[in-house]
Amino acid sequence: MFVHIDIDSFFVSAERSRDPVLQGIPVAVGGRSNLEIFSPRRTRIRLMDDNAGAFVAPVFYTDRSSSFREHFIDRVEGREKIRGIVTTSSYEARERGVRTGMPLAQALRLCPELVVVPGDLLFYHRISHAIAGFLARRIPRIEQYSIDEFFGDLGGWIEEEESEAFAAALQRELFERFAIPVSIGIARSKWIAKLATGFAKPYGIYRVRNVEEFIREIPIGEFPGIGRGYARRLEERGVRTLGEITPLKGLFESWGKYGRQLYRRIHGSDGEGIEPRASRQSVGISRTFDPIFDPAELRRRIMILARHVAYITLKLEANPTLYALKIRYEHGLRAKESLRVERIFSEHLLKATLAESFERIHLRGRGAVKLSLSVSDFTHLHPRTLSLLEAEQDRRDRRLTMGMQRIRDRFGLDAIRTGNELSASSGYDLSKGLR
């Protein structure tokens, strides 16, 4: 038997665990794109990566100290404007129409008494890490699926008929220890257990005994792994529920390996087990901001984001061979480029490559509103032969990068910045990947 443990309204529950005044009232944790990363001032940004894996992203943070007004209200042309979105809302707020991803201004119009708390990702990661450790002591095989979700394999540990009692005790222990409510789904397969958790919320337990009966009326979009592409293909054939998928085994098999896997997952016959800590396949970072037309400023921001990507990559002791840059502009326009770079990784190499990529793909005269950088295809996961032509220079650059890494470990990620991260007015040539 598998259990899927999902923390109810995690960020709100975390805030309530340290401030009981928030209990029983409409609460939202708000977030906005952390643009402090681009500040010319020292911010002492650090990395939290204790429980990060394939599905738990690392977080860059500074200690939270700002109030709602300081964090979410900007003065634009003499008027105050509420910025940010809802990242998590309490069930009391959801009853008033407040939803994840909704602009805070809209949420406050729907629910004027809504209490909005600035997000504190460092705090949430610490709680997640502590809960993961607690679960690992209670269940021999545990998998952290996201910051607020965990799978557990009870096979050989808890008898099937005792699974609900075990889940109830676990739920109670978690609340007593962390003041955090969880919902738990139970099934003979992990993905059906995850689906069952939706029927357990909030703060409940749901066990699936008969998979075919359970999935019969569930909309296809609710199953984890059926993305928009697969949903569209199925809807074109008139398929609306998971139960209607049963006679379509041949169709799923025609979609290749993932199609066959998805069909088995839906019917609980996948036989997949627990992955204690899946390897991260890529490292990325993105930021959204008001439209920027100045190419020099965009280039500067790319260099800053590249520093952060390089820092994480070196923490992983990884050597990526695929670099990607994406730029989103106003009115839905996009530009992107992925480059194969089979060389020894360094911060300088990443920055120089992305600077050249930016020159090729940037849409002049358009206002950019989002930058996204990523590196992937790590050599320890996908072995490749690295170039020998630049090997000596690459080794020198790598040694320099590692020296900077040690200083940043001690004093913060912005303790050392390269010239291409400074403003255009500084006199540096920002088009170059300076060492």
Side-chain angles (χ1 to χ4, degrees):
M1 294 294 284
F2 290 86
V3 291
H4 176 255
I5 302 156
D6 193 344
I7 303 174
D8 297 335
S9 305
F10 177 36
F11 294 174
V12 169
S13 294
E15 294 294 342
R16 284 174 167 173
S17 73
R18 63 180 175 183
D19 186 0
V21 171
L22 300 175
Q23 295 286 355
I25 63 174
V27 179
V29 171
R32 59 181 299 183
S33 194
N34 178 12
L35 302 183
E36 187 179 27
I37 198 171
F38 300 124
S39 172
R41 303 187 306 274
R42 283 295 305 279
T43 58
R44 296 192 179 275
I45 292 175
R46 294 183 181 273
L47 174 69
M48 173 68 175
D49 200 31
D50 287 355
N51 62 326
F55 300 100
V56 186
V59 59
F60 294 104
Y61 72 92
T62 52
D63 292 334
R64 185 181 75 170
S65 58
S66 57
S67 65
F68 173 85
R69 174 168 291 277
E70 292 169 330
H71 197 79
F72 295 116
I73 296 182
D74 289 346
R75 183 166 289 277
V76 180
E77 297 178 352
R79 299 178 58 187
E80 290 187 342
K81 183 174 183 178
I82 298 175
R83 304 278 197 177
I85 62 170
V86 174
T87 57
T88 306
S89 58
S90 67
Y91 286 95
E92 296 87 352
R94 294 177 197 184
E95 291 174 358
R96 300 290 299 275
V98 177
R99 294 289 182 268
T100 298
M102 177 180 288
L104 284 177
Q106 180 183 356
L108 287 165
R109 286 195 297 270
L110 288 170
C111 183
E113 68 272 30
L114 182 70
V115 175
V116 180
V117 181
D120 187 350
L121 286 174
L122 177 60
F123 178 55
Y124 309 149
H125 267 249
R126 284 173 172 163
I127 290 181
S128 177
H129 185 56
I131 289 175
F134 173 81
L135 291 174
R137 294 189 294 273
R138 297 288 282 113
I139 304 173
R141 292 185 294 277
I142 196 80
E143 172 185 346
Q144 180 153 17
Y145 185 68
S146 70
I147 193 172
D148 60 350
E149 293 179 85
F150 308 84
F151 286 110
D153 183 354
L154 305 183
W157 177 251
I158 301 295
E159 294 296 331
E160 186 171 333
E161 60 271 17
E162 297 174 357
S163 59
E164 288 177 83
F166 174 81
L170 186 66
Q171 185 184 60
R172 186 169 55 254
E173 288 177 49
L174 284 165
F175 192 80
E176 290 172 354
R177 187 178 184 90
F178 300 101
I180 295 290
V182 303
S183 294
I184 303 177
I186 308 170
R188 292 192 182 96
S189 71
K190 61 189 287 188
W191 301 107
I192 295 299
K194 176 173 170 58
L195 190 62
T197 309
F199 291 81
K201 285 182 170 290
Y203 199 62
I205 296 170
Y206 191 97
R207 177 183 168 192
V208 176
R209 290 174 168 80
N210 184 301
V211 174
E212 297 302 323
E213 289 182 4
F214 173 62
I215 68 172
R216 184 174 296 147
E217 301 299 327
I218 297 177
I220 57 175
E222 293 187 14
F223 192 84
I226 297 184
R228 284 178 291 183
Y230 282 101
R232 185 172 59 252
R233 295 186 203 180
L234 291 168
E235 288 169 356
E236 288 173 352
R237 292 169 170 80
V239 178
R240 296 290 183 270
T241 69
L242 296 177
E244 294 171 334
I245 285 173
T246 301
L248 301 178
K249 185 176 181 180
L251 173 64
F252 278 76
E253 289 179 343
S254 73
W255 291 342
K257 180 179 178 180
Y258 185 71
R260 293 191 295 272
Q261 181 189 57
L262 184 57
Y263 185 87
R264 291 193 295 268
R265 286 180 174 182
I266 292 169
H267 293 86
S269 59
D270 52 273
E272 295 178 39
I274 293 298
E275 297 181 18
R277 190 179 179 96
S279 297
R280 188 178 295 140
Q281 303 292 313
S282 64
V283 170
I285 188 172
S286 64
R287 287 293 184 272
T288 303
F289 35 77
D290 289 338
I292 295 176
F293 293 85
D294 181 7
E297 175 58 18
L298 289 173
R299 199 180 297 111
R300 184 184 79 88
R301 295 190 175 205
I302 290 170
M303 297 300 102
I304 292 171
L305 295 177
R307 164 166 43 97
H308 289 73
V309 168
Y311 184 84
I312 304 176
T313 303
L314 293 169
K315 279 288 186 184
L316 296 174
E317 299 181 351
N319 197 101
T321 57
L322 189 66
Y323 304 173
L325 171 64
K326 297 179 182 179
I327 308 173
R328 181 156 60 86
Y329 298 86
E330 292 181 290
H331 314 301
L333 294 174
R334 301 172 188 271
K336 62 181 180 179
E337 183 174 82
S338 297
L339 294 171
R340 180 69 61 186
V341 185
E342 296 180 343
R343 295 173 57 181
I344 299 172
F345 180 79
S346 68
E347 181 177 329
H348 167 68
L349 178 60
L350 176 62
K351 287 182 171 180
T353 303
L354 293 176
E356 293 172 1
S357 185
F358 173 74
E359 294 303 321
R360 284 191 292 271
I361 69 173
H362 175 49
L363 303 178
R364 302 279 173 172
R366 302 286 186 176
V369 295
K370 185 176 183 179
L371 293 171
S372 302
L373 281 63
S374 66
V375 295
S376 57
D377 274 13
F378 302 143
T379 53
H380 68 278
L381 300 175
H382 310 282
R384 293 182 180 276
T385 301
L386 302 182
S387 172
L388 295 176
L389 297 177
E390 303 92 348
E392 188 55 39
Q393 181 62 59
D394 286 349
R395 290 191 187 97
R396 287 197 293 268
D397 288 342
R398 178 72 169 225
R399 286 195 294 270
L400 176 61
T401 297
M402 295 308 298
M404 294 190 295
Q405 188 91 348
R406 288 189 289 271
I407 295 172
R408 289 167 178 160
D409 282 341
R410 184 173 180 183
F411 298 107
L413 270 79
D414 52 1
I416 294 180
R417 311 185 199 204
T418 54
N420 47 24
E421 297 183 37
L422 304 180
S423 66
S425 61
S426 67
Y428 283 89
D429 182 352
L430 298 177
S431 67
K432 305 297 184 183
L434 301 183
R435 289 184 170 79

